[in-house]
Amino acid sequence: MFGLIGHLTSLSHAREVAKELGYDEYAEQDLDFWCVAPPQIVEDISVKSITGKTIVGKYVESCFLPEMLLTKKFKAATRKILNAMAHAQKNGINITALGGFSSIIFENFNLMEMRQVRNIQLEIERFTTGNTHTAYIICRQVEAAAQKYGIPLSQATVTVCGATGDIGSAVCRWLHARTGVLDIILVARNQERLRSLRTSLGRGRIMTIEEALPQSDIVVWVASMAKGMEIRPEMLKQPCILIDGGYPKNLANTVQIPDVHVINGGMVEHALDIDWKIMKWVSRCAPSRQLFACFAESMLLEFEGWYTNFSWGRNQITIEKMEQIGAVSVKHGFKPLVS
Ligand code: NDP
């Protein structure tokens, strides 16, 4: 059985979804209530592969909200993730993806040191960040969108915002080794990590986002920001492609310029319908076949019986592992969304 740990994008979003689900006692509450609310399994899911195999899983709502980080309620945020993981393990789930901010909180707050959750010792091999599949899908989206919109990668400047992150660094490695891209611009805040990435890649120009945007044909946005991405559309080159890989996604609403093509980054489409409601709740508008690549990673591990923390730690994603998960992604009927 696979699991998906997810969360909603804001307090108002959480109240809205709680009402829809019939959790009236949650729908009227403020942030303090959500800080103490326990995790809930809110949906049982079954997914069929194009190979014919069917697997079952559960969606675990952690009740974490990004406002907990914005208001510095760090203890509540970390408890949400640990409790959701313990809940998944207690319910016998073999492999669970840590969606949205779950894996970032796990890493940033060093939760590896806090694996004893009441009477449960978390078994880390039961969890995956899903970042290898996400990075693979984003790279495929870059390649497909470049072709679709007539921007050859051999002549393109690609900016990766969040380049030193787990997903961003993997995307940079793939772009360099697999695509023949002309130029890569690296954007993040910590300059030391940027320099170290540039050294390991052997290329890449380090810039601020303001310097990078006017010269970028393609922008891959994989920065971790609790409020989503803020961008001044007038700074963008036209034409250009924006791959919005962050969570929450808000670029399609904020950037509406005819020659700027916004792609829902890190999203896949399954070949067959999935009978579930969670993607509608979590991302508001995704049709039943569309889902986050990190969620799909736990499904792929379940399909293949690879009960291991396939994606774990920071900046460990290799091109070989991206190709490995990419091959089973294709085999089971997932493909990158290019819209
Ligand atoms: P990491 O925490 O590993 O990396 C975040 C990166 O963003 C770092 O390079 C960080 O560098 C940079 N960053 C953070 N804040 C800013 C800022 N204000 N300006 C510029 N750079 C910034 O995160 P992940 O790689 O694990 O995840 C990246 C994003 O992808 C997240 O939004 C996450 O929610 C989303 N995601 C989407 C998935 C999907 O299935 N679609 C799956 C998993 C994650 P520095 O701190 O030095 O600025």
Side-chain angles (χ1 to χ4, degrees):
M1 180 165 49
F2 70 89
L4 315 171
I5 291 179
H7 63 82
L8 300 166
T9 56
S10 67
L11 179 59
S12 61
H13 183 201
R15 284 174 164 165
E16 196 185 299
V17 171
K19 204 172 183 69
E20 212 177 303
L21 290 178
Y23 286 86
D24 288 348
E25 72 281 19
Y26 284 58
E28 307 301 328
Q29 302 289 346
D30 59 13
L31 188 62
D32 286 339
F33 174 88
W34 285 83
C35 284
V36 294
Q40 304 274 347
I41 289 178
V42 287
E43 193 167 30
D44 290 305
I45 307 158
S46 89
V47 186
K48 190 169 179 185
S49 157
I50 53 173
T51 63
K53 185 169 181 175
T54 298
I55 54 170
V56 292
K58 291 180 188 293
Y59 175 75
V60 182
E61 171 55 52
S62 68
C63 293
F64 162 79
L65 293 173
E67 283 93 338
M68 292 172 195
L69 296 180
L70 295 170
T71 58
K72 300 195 182 333
K73 294 182 190 301
F74 298 134
K75 197 165 174 207
T78 56
R79 294 315 301 176
K80 297 278 122 187
I81 306 311
L82 289 169
N83 286 341
M85 292 171 76
H87 200 55
Q89 185 170 316
K90 200 169 70 185
N91 280 275
I93 300 175
N94 301 310
I95 187 74
T96 299
L98 302 179
F101 271 75
S102 317
S103 64
I104 295 170
I105 291 170
F106 194 94
E107 280 297 327
N108 286 359
F109 293 93
N110 201 15
L111 300 190
M112 212 44 188
E113 305 294 316
M114 299 166 69
R115 272 181 294 158
Q116 188 68 38
V117 184
R118 293 177 298 281
N119 61 341
I120 294 177
Q121 170 80 8
L122 290 179
E123 294 162 15
I124 291 307
E125 63 278 10
R126 288 174 181 261
F127 300 93
T128 186
T129 65
N131 286 351
T132 311
H133 190 228
T134 303
Y136 167 83
I137 290 297
I138 288 174
C139 292
R140 288 296 191 209
Q141 289 177 306
V142 169
E143 293 164 358
Q147 194 166 31
K148 178 173 175 182
Y149 295 111
I151 301 178
L153 285 172
S154 58
Q155 296 166 32
T157 295
V158 180
T159 287
V160 181
C161 183
T164 52
D166 196 34
I167 298 171
S169 60
V171 168
C172 290
R173 285 191 281 279
W174 180 285
L175 286 174
H176 166 58
R178 287 285 185 274
T179 66
V181 68
L182 178 68
D183 192 12
I184 307 175
I185 299 179
L186 312 172
V187 176
R189 294 164 303 177
N190 184 305
Q191 297 300 307
E192 201 181 320
R193 282 202 291 264
L194 280 167
R195 282 193 292 271
S196 151
L197 174 67
R198 183 176 58 187
T199 304
S200 70
L201 283 175
R203 68 185 289 192
R205 293 189 287 150
I206 295 172
M207 289 187 191
T208 64
I209 193 69
E210 290 79 15
E211 290 165 338
L213 289 181
Q215 43 184 307
S216 303
D217 302 294
I218 301 176
V219 179
V220 178
W221 192 274
V222 280
S224 50
M225 293 160 79
K227 277 165 61 191
M229 175 180 183
E230 278 162 25
I231 203 168
R232 291 199 354 246
E234 68 276 12
M235 296 174 73
L236 294 165
K237 191 171 172 180
Q238 293 180 41
C240 82
I241 298 166
L242 284 183
I243 312 265
D244 184 6
Y247 181 73
K249 297 188 190 306
N250 57 359
L251 271 181
N253 296 331
T254 54
V255 181
Q256 292 182 339
I257 302 173
D259 260 354
V260 176
H261 309 286
V262 183
I263 312 282
N264 274 327
M267 297 287 294
V268 290
E269 183 155 280
H270 191 41
L272 302 169
D273 281 343
I274 302 175
D275 183 19
W276 63 358
K277 298 189 195 69
I278 60 123
M279 278 307 291
K280 186 167 114 314
W281 302 326
V282 174
S283 78
R284 285 197 165 116
C285 57
S288 64
R289 293 183 178 198
Q290 292 178 10
L291 62 150
F292 299 113
C294 65
F295 281 179
E297 181 170 306
S298 72
M299 297 173 185
L300 293 170
L301 299 180
E302 176 71 21
F303 274 129
E304 292 295 315
W306 294 346
Y307 295 128
T308 165
N309 49 346
F310 189 84
S311 307
W312 203 248
R314 271 254 167 82
N315 299 9
Q316 315 274 336
I317 299 173
T318 61
I319 290 176
E320 291 69 30
K321 285 193 92 173
M322 289 166 76
E323 284 172 337
Q324 189 185 358
I325 201 77
V328 294
S329 182
V330 173
K331 171 180 166 187
H332 292 289
F334 294 95
K335 62 174 193 212
L337 204 64
V338 190
S339 57

